[in-house]
Amino acid sequence: MDQDVKDRFETIESQLEKTNIRLDGFEGRMSGAETSIKLLDQNIKTLLEKTVEIKKTIDDNNENVRADIKDLARKREEDHFVKPLANMDKIKFQVIGVLVGIFISAFVGYIIPNLK
């Protein structure tokens, strides 16, 4: 009977050693997994910070583009409407001036025919 107990004790002891070896392997893998999780957490935080910076840059660029578009629209309106209307007024006054000049010349020529 002592031999059976001794054999069982040795069997249990070898099973405990195998279990301890397996537990040590699990602990090593758990430690590696914890390190990986910490690295992933840090990477996620860095990515979130960079994402906020990128969003801010995009928003700034959008505001700049909107301002440029408004400026271009104002310049386009000025080039297509304001300046041509101002030129029309100039041309109108020039035509009126020429017509008045022709009329005055004809009138003066009619009144004083010998000036020719």
Side-chain angles (χ1 to χ4, degrees), residues 93-107:
F93 287 124
Q94 287 174 353
V95 168
I96 290 172
V98 167
L99 290 175
V100 168
I102 290 173
F103 178 73
I104 290 175
S105 298
F107 184 70

Side-chain angles (χ1 to χ4, degrees), residues 16-28:
L16 279 175
E17 284 179 27
K18 289 178 185 177
T19 304
N20 283 337
I21 291 171
R22 287 180 58 199
L23 281 176
D24 288 342
F26 286 140
E27 287 175 354

Side-chain angles (χ1 to χ4, degrees), residues 2-111:
D2 285 334
Q3 187 63 29
D4 283 339
V5 171
K6 193 175 187 181
D7 288 341
R8 289 184 99 193
F9 182 75
E10 287 175 2
T11 305
I12 291 173
E13 200 172 66
S14 79
Q15 286 176 345
L16 279 175
E17 284 179 27
K18 289 178 185 177
T19 304
N20 283 337
I21 291 171
R22 287 180 58 199
L23 281 176
D24 288 342
F26 286 140
E27 287 175 354
R29 283 186 268 171
M30 286 293 288
S31 175
E34 286 174 356
T35 304
S36 295
I37 289 171
K38 287 179 184 176
L39 287 173
L40 287 172
D41 187 44
Q42 183 62 35
N43 287 341
I44 288 170
K45 286 179 184 176
T46 304
L47 286 172
L48 288 175
E49 290 171 1
K50 295 297 180 186
T51 303
V52 169
E53 289 176 19
I54 290 171
K55 184 182 181 314
K56 184 177 182 280
T57 303
I58 289 172
D59 290 343
D60 290 344
N61 288 343
N62 284 344
E63 288 301 317
N64 290 339
V65 168
R66 284 186 188 110
D68 289 346
I69 288 173
K70 285 180 183 178
D71 187 45
L72 287 173
R74 183 186 54 78
K75 286 181 181 176
R76 182 178 185 274
E77 182 178 316
E78 187 176 301
D79 286 344
H80 289 272
F81 297 109
V82 175
K83 288 180 182 177
L85 289 176
N87 288 340
M88 261 319 238
D89 288 341
K90 287 179 186 177
I91 292 171
K92 213 186 301 182
F93 287 124
Q94 287 174 353
V95 168
I96 290 172
V98 167
L99 290 175
V100 168
I102 290 173
F103 178 73
I104 290 175
S105 298
F107 184 70
V108 169
Y110 178 73
I111 292 180

